[in-house]
Amino acid sequence: MAIWTGFLSLHVMKTGGAVALAQIFSVISIISFVLSVPFAYFSDVVGRKPLIVLSSVIRTLGILLIFISPYFLPILLTGILIYSIAPTIASGAANAILPESILDKRILGRVISLFPIVPLVGMSLGSVFLGHLTSTSGIFLPLLIISMLSLLRVSVLLALKETLSSKSRNLPDVREVFIAKTKELRATLSRPELRAFICMEIVGGLSFFSAFMPSYFSSVMRLNETVIGLAFSIFMIAQAIGQPISGLFVDRYGCKLSFLLNSMVGAIILASLTFIGPIYPIQAIFLLFISSSLSAFYNTAYSVYIAKVTTEEIRATVYSAMSAIKVIPSAIAPFIGALVWNFSPLLIPLSLSALCLLEIPFIMMLREDPNVDKS
């Protein structure tokens, strides 16, 4: 949700305030939690492509609704809600389709890490461009551009190739399929390494970075929309730079060390931002550039770890189950962020740093030798 984190959340903050921002994030989290696993289950039965295309169509409808009335708060929040929950419909399918397309599992991390680079660079350039347009021309023109790009995305996804070859697609007995998948899913999620992984995701779900850091940049660091757009552009470039490095790192040193590196360095940088940000905004942006590059290590390790501990019959469901589990604390996170913001905006990065530290004990409990993927 690059446009959301880049400038749309700041627009909601100015239009409806911190409470409206917290409320819409929480509603998005709750609905995403309800929808994610059922749609992922459908993906494990009917295939990846139908869910991915459907998600893109709904996403386009949401952004068109925002475009119609960006300053009337009820319609604005409704459009944001539709736009934001659309990726949930395809989250399991989108996560599963990539590892299923890779034949040599020894290079899983390297291949997975390369795919986000083009979207990240595109979003980075878009963040600068849209931030500048918002600052100089208002929000209508950026929303028009995003609407056109969303329509183009739908047409491109129609050419996607299906990867699911599971026998369940041909079984007529729906009840039999459901029982078999539920049994395998329960066995997979009960494994110790998955329990530790779930706890790590719950802590990570409490982060409210995307909701309140744009406002922190504006109110505390005194940056305008153009500079904020540039900052998020730089963060995406940093992640794009980190992607190929993270793939090599994950394949060579494993997922556990990648998670640790992201959490430990992130905690240090966010804590230092508390003191550096208000005084030296440029240096603070540079530190977040480093932190953003390491977020690639988390993303790659996350995708590889789940791909290795699941079979294709339940892979999309497990990906979405993990996302759903993270959504539970995500519903609470914006209100925690709002409380911290109302107490003192200066404490936003320090609070996020504490959450990074809380992930470390659970990362230490992860096993580095899960069963190899059986897709």
Side-chain angles (χ1 to χ4, degrees):
M1 292 192 295
I3 64 164
W4 169 261
T5 54
F7 73 94
L8 203 50
S9 64
L10 186 60
H11 177 67
V12 173
M13 186 75 149
K14 290 181 176 180
T15 306
V19 174
L21 188 64
Q23 287 175 339
I24 190 61
F25 261 86
S26 294
V27 172
I28 289 169
S29 297
I30 293 169
I31 295 179
S32 297
F33 170 73
V34 173
L35 295 181
S36 59
V37 175
F39 276 105
Y41 172 80
F42 292 146
S43 173
D44 281 332
V45 175
V46 304
R48 316 303 186 200
K49 181 177 177 178
L51 277 298
I52 293 174
V53 173
L54 176 63
S55 169
S56 188
V57 171
I58 295 176
R59 180 189 180 107
T60 302
L61 293 175
I63 203 66
L64 288 173
L65 190 59
I66 298 171
F67 175 72
I68 291 172
S69 185
Y71 290 102
F72 183 53
L73 193 60
I75 294 181
L76 170 65
L77 296 182
T78 301
I80 290 173
L81 176 64
I82 294 172
Y83 170 81
S84 300
I85 65 173
T88 301
I89 295 172
S91 62
N95 281 310
I97 198 170
L98 182 54
E100 289 170 0
S101 304
I102 302 170
L103 299 179
D104 188 353
K105 304 306 178 186
R106 294 172 299 178
I107 60 170
L108 198 60
R110 276 165 280 185
V111 177
I112 287 177
S113 69
L114 294 177
F115 272 80
I117 293 178
V118 173
L120 282 169
V121 172
M123 290 187 295
S124 172
L125 297 175
S127 181
V128 175
F129 181 61
L130 294 175
H132 176 69
L133 279 182
T134 303
S135 179
T136 58
S137 306
I139 201 170
F140 281 100
L141 187 55
L143 287 174
L144 176 62
I145 294 172
I146 295 165
S147 300
M148 296 301 101
L149 291 175
S150 295
L151 290 170
L152 179 63
R153 174 188 171 92
V154 174
S155 62
V156 171
L157 288 176
L158 290 173
L160 201 62
K161 183 180 179 181
E162 182 58 62
T163 61
L164 182 64
S165 59
S166 172
K167 295 179 181 178
S168 64
R169 298 183 72 190
N170 302 316
L171 288 176
D173 191 340
V174 176
R175 182 173 177 272
E176 179 183 343
V177 173
F178 179 77
I179 291 174
K181 288 185 179 293
T182 302
K183 183 178 180 180
E184 184 175 1
L185 182 63
R186 187 180 302 164
T188 300
L189 294 180
S190 65
R191 292 160 58 179
E193 62 268 22
L194 264 295
R195 291 177 181 174
F197 191 86
I198 288 170
C199 292
M200 180 189 75
E201 288 298 287
I202 290 174
V203 174
L206 291 171
S207 175
F208 43 84
F209 183 97
S210 60
F212 285 92
M213 282 307 290
S215 298
Y216 179 86
F217 290 160
S218 177
S219 300
V220 177
M221 295 170 60
R222 305 297 179 186
L223 304 177
N224 60 36
E225 285 89 344
T226 300
V227 177
I228 293 173
L230 178 61
F232 275 91
S233 172
I234 291 172
F235 300 156
M236 293 174 200
I237 291 293
Q239 189 174 338
I241 293 172
Q243 285 297 142
I245 302 172
S246 71
L248 291 168
F249 192 92
V250 168
D251 284 339
R252 183 165 184 177
Y253 299 106
C255 299
K256 182 175 181 177
L257 193 56
S258 299
F259 287 133
L260 275 175
L261 187 63
N262 175 66
S263 293
M264 292 179 68
V265 176
I268 294 170
I269 288 176
L270 285 167
S272 63
L273 195 68
T274 305
F275 310 100
I276 296 175
I279 306 173
Y280 304 107
I282 302 302
Q283 289 84 341
I285 295 296
F286 176 74
L287 289 176
L288 286 173
F289 177 90
I290 298 173
S291 178
S292 296
S293 67
L294 290 176
S295 67
F297 285 66
Y298 167 84
N299 294 334
T300 301
Y302 176 91
S303 296
V304 170
Y305 197 84
I306 295 179
K308 286 185 175 181
V309 298
T310 58
T311 61
E312 73 162 18
E313 285 79 9
I314 62 167
R315 182 168 294 130
T317 306
V318 172
Y319 272 117
S320 285
M322 291 299 174
S323 298
I325 289 168
K326 194 170 184 176
V327 160
I328 300 174
S330 295
I332 305 171
F335 290 100
I336 298 176
L339 287 173
V340 174
W341 179 271
N342 289 330
F343 181 77
S344 174
L346 293 171
L347 295 179
I348 290 290
L350 190 62
S351 302
L352 293 168
S353 173
L355 290 174
C356 289
L357 292 175
L358 285 175
E359 291 179 338
I360 294 177
F362 301 110
I363 295 173
M364 297 302 297
M365 296 167 62
L366 293 177
R367 287 176 54 190
E368 196 53 74
D369 58 343
N371 292 343
V372 178
D373 168 80
K374 310 182 190 73
S375 65

